[in-house]
């Protein structure tokens, strides 16, 4: 698939199962958008939980997700992606329904546990299912378009939820959480209907060493080590700051209003939805690791712009905050298609669940560590050091991308026709000739 492929051509070339899976993404995530921005508000202002308890409950989701990611990856390989995704989506439905009526902390903990199970187990299963219905460049295109549709659904859901939910009328929050639960019926219906034959399960080769499928063996693979480190740092510096560091910096240092921050997040969604496919066409056929170098440069520039908001008058600070978010979103459109595509192309079919679980674990760890870092540094007023660390971190991602480039085959890196010396991802030793197939 070349860079000249249009959205219509991509859709026409996609297998029917892929079309079913992609066509309902925005509908599924619209329910998530209804509740995601308002969960803490609901717990604190509607159910009367303290902010400390509400924050702890939100963090509990991430902890549970991290704990179940490993088992989720193994179950995906053993039982198939469809079965695991069906179970995890059901957990999401139950969690949202329970949370809608969570009047006590104990009930809220039960609800958060179900939500955490879904977040931890669905990631490796969903990525493995995508890999089962796509190949090659189409896979990268799919991951990117899926990301844009997820943002579209969450963005629209957030707008609807913001207009409907009212803390003075608790029943409105019950309605949006039940709507979130009901939206899970869409993927469940797909998995039980049109996608019932797509298992995402593959038998191990007859000559496969039983120990090669363990997480310890996978984590000893040089390419996996490189991608795990790259993913962790990218999320630590990216989404970990977007959710915590950016709003805190914009308020405390840039001194902008909450309204400006809200507009910034709207710009983030708009840039991703409007530019994702254009970016996909531009990066098609190029080394994925080089795409990440461009992402690093854009993110570094965005953080410099954010840092400058503390040095200019308020009206210019607002412009800087909005510019930061637009640049950051552009970088996201390069990160989201490349990392999962590399992960799934270098994974053997029968171990794809575990490979995705390792990558998901790195993502979740970065999402946990990023806000902790931001809170610690900004609470002490170290604004300059904060920006300096983020810019330096972008340089570190670039270095890791170049390391990964030497460890994966050209095919895994998105250029199957290129013949360059590479290294065996299992040993790290130089290979006599570049491979053109999957690792």
């Amino acid at each position: 698939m070349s860079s000249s492929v249009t959205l219509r051509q991509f859709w026409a070339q996609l297998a029917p199962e892929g079309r079913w899976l992609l066509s309902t993404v925005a509908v599924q995530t619209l329910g998530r958008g209804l509740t995601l921005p308002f969960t803490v508000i609901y717990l604190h202002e509607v159910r009367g939980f303290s902010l400390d308890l509400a924050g702890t409950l939100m963090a509990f989701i991430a902890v549970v997700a991290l704990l179940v990611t490993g088992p989720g990856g193994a179950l995906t390989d053993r039982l198939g992606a469809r079965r695991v995704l069906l179970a995890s989506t059901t957990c999401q439905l139950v969690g949202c329904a329970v949370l809608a009526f969570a009047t006590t902390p104990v009930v809220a903990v039960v609800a958060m546990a179900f939500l955490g199970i879904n977040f931890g187990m669905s990631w490796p299963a969903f990525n493995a299912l995508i890999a089962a219905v796509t190949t090659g460049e189409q896979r990268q295109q799919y991951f990117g378009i899926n990301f844009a549709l997820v943002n579209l659904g969450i963005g629209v859901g957030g707008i609807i939820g913001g207009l409907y939910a009212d803390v003075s009328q608790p029943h409105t929050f019950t309605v949006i959480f039940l709507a979130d639960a009901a939206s899970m019926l869409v993927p469940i219906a797909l998995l039980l209907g049109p996608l019932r034959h797509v298992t995402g399960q593959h038998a191990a080769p007859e000559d496969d060493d039983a120990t090669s499928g363990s997480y310890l063996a996978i984590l000893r693979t040089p390419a996996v080590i490189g991608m795990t480190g790259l993913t962790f740092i990218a999320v630590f510096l990216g989404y970990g700051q977007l959710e915590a560091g950016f709003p805190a910096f914009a308020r405390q240092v840039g001194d902008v209003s909450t309204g400006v921050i809200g507009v910034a997040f709207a710009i983030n969604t708009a840039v991703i939805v409007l530019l994702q496919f254009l970016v996909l066409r531009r990066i098609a056929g190029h080394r994925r690791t080089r795409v990440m170098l461009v992402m690093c440069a854009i993110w570094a520039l965005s953080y410099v712009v954010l840092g400058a908001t503390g040095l200019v008058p308020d009206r210019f600070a607002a412009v800087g905050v909005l510019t930061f978010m637009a640049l950051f979103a552009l970088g996201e459109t390069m990160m989201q298609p490349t990392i999962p595509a590399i992960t799934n192309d270098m994974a053997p079919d029968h171990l794809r669940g575990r490979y995705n679980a390792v990558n998901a674990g790195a993502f979740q760890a970065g999402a946990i560590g990023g806000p902790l870092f931001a809170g610690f540094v900004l609470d002490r007023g170290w604004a300059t050091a904060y920006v300096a660390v983020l810019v330096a971190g972008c340089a570190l991602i670039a270095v890791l991308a170049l390391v990964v480039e030497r460890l994966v085959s050209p095919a895994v890196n998105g250029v199957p026709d290129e013949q360059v010396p590479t290294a065996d991802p299992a040993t790290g030793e130089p290979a006599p000739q570049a491979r053109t197939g999957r690792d």
Side-chain angles (χ1 to χ4, degrees):
M1 191 177 292
S2 68
S3 60
S4 62
V5 169
T6 64
L7 185 58
R8 179 177 295 180
Q9 290 171 328
F10 166 79
W11 184 259
Q13 296 169 5
L14 200 60
E17 295 82 4
R19 295 179 196 174
W20 276 110
L21 197 60
L22 193 61
S23 62
T24 58
V25 169
V27 177
Q28 298 173 37
T29 54
L30 187 144
R32 186 65 186 138
L34 286 173
T35 60
L36 183 62
F38 312 110
T39 303
V40 170
I41 295 173
Y42 165 70
L43 293 173
H44 177 56
E45 298 188 34
V46 177
R47 296 309 183 191
F49 300 169
S50 69
L51 277 176
D52 284 345
L53 178 57
T56 300
L57 287 169
M58 296 298 291
F60 182 63
I61 297 177
V63 172
V64 173
L66 193 59
L67 291 175
V68 303
T69 295
L75 288 173
T76 296
D77 291 331
R78 293 172 183 170
L79 303 178
R82 189 187 73 89
R83 291 178 179 176
V84 173
L85 194 57
L86 187 59
S88 64
T89 304
T90 302
C91 286
Q92 175 76 7
L93 188 156
V94 173
C96 290
V98 172
L99 193 57
F101 303 100
T103 57
T104 67
V106 173
V107 176
V109 167
V110 173
M112 297 308 189
F114 276 105
L115 296 180
I117 291 171
N118 171 66
F119 292 154
M121 298 185 71
S122 64
W123 189 326
F126 186 69
N127 280 0
L129 198 65
I130 290 176
V133 299
T134 57
T135 57
E137 187 63 38
Q138 187 185 69
R139 186 172 291 162
Q140 178 172 283
Q141 297 269 3
Y142 193 107
F143 278 117
I145 294 172
N146 181 78
F147 176 62
L149 291 175
V150 166
N151 277 269
L152 177 62
I154 290 178
V156 173
I159 293 172
I160 296 173
L163 293 173
Y164 177 75
D166 185 349
V167 293
S168 66
Q169 301 183 54
H171 75 274
T172 60
F173 284 87
T174 299
V175 169
I176 63 173
F177 278 101
L178 289 178
D180 190 0
S183 70
M184 294 300 102
L185 295 174
V186 175
I188 289 174
L190 281 180
L191 294 168
L192 292 176
L195 301 180
R196 64 187 181 278
H197 301 303
V198 183
T199 64
Q201 186 177 13
H202 299 274
E206 294 182 0
D207 59 349
D208 183 63
D209 182 356
T211 61
S212 65
S214 69
Y215 279 113
L216 184 60
I218 292 171
L219 286 169
R220 286 175 177 168
T221 305
V224 173
I225 294 173
M227 283 303 299
T228 301
L230 187 154
T231 301
F232 170 78
I233 297 173
V235 176
F236 183 97
L237 299 175
Y239 293 108
Q241 306 314 314
L242 192 67
E243 297 174 2
F246 158 68
F249 189 98
R251 286 289 294 152
Q252 296 180 11
V253 182
D255 197 28
V256 303
S257 67
T258 54
V260 170
I261 294 175
V263 172
F265 277 99
I267 287 176
N268 178 273
T269 298
V271 168
I272 292 170
V273 172
L274 295 175
L275 296 185
Q276 181 65 84
F277 192 74
L278 175 62
V279 170
L280 286 169
R281 295 186 67 187
R282 296 290 298 175
I283 68 177
H286 293 280
R287 299 186 203 187
R288 292 162 178 163
T289 48
R290 300 298 173 91
V291 173
M292 282 188 271
L293 295 185
V294 178
M295 179 207 79
C296 291
I298 292 173
W299 273 9
L301 175 60
S302 74
Y303 286 128
V304 170
V305 171
L306 181 63
T309 61
L311 306 174
V312 297
D314 292 351
R315 62 181 181 277
F316 294 111
V319 173
V321 165
L322 300 181
T323 302
F324 157 79
M325 189 60 91
L327 289 170
F328 184 89
L330 180 60
E332 287 183 81
T333 64
M334 299 178 187
M335 170 186 169
Q336 285 294 340
T338 51
I339 289 180
I342 291 176
T343 300
N344 282 277
D345 280 352
M346 73 178 178
D349 288 338
H350 68 292
L351 297 177
R352 189 161 281 129
R354 290 176 176 88
Y355 272 69
N356 278 295
V358 169
N359 189 256
F363 194 106
Q364 291 158 354
I368 293 171
L372 293 176
F373 161 77
F376 178 83
V377 174
L378 294 177
D379 189 53
R380 286 158 177 76
W382 299 342
T384 301
Y386 174 75
V387 174
V389 169
L390 297 183
V391 173
C394 290
L396 181 56
I397 297 173
V399 171
L400 286 172
L402 292 175
V403 170
V404 169
E405 184 174 300
R406 296 176 60 86
L407 297 173
V408 298
S409 71
V412 169
N413 208 10
V415 280
D417 296 328
E418 183 174 313
Q419 298 293 328
V420 293
T422 186
D424 187 323
T427 65
E429 295 297 324
Q433 182 176 350
R435 289 161 294 170
T436 57
R438 284 191 219 128
D439 292 335

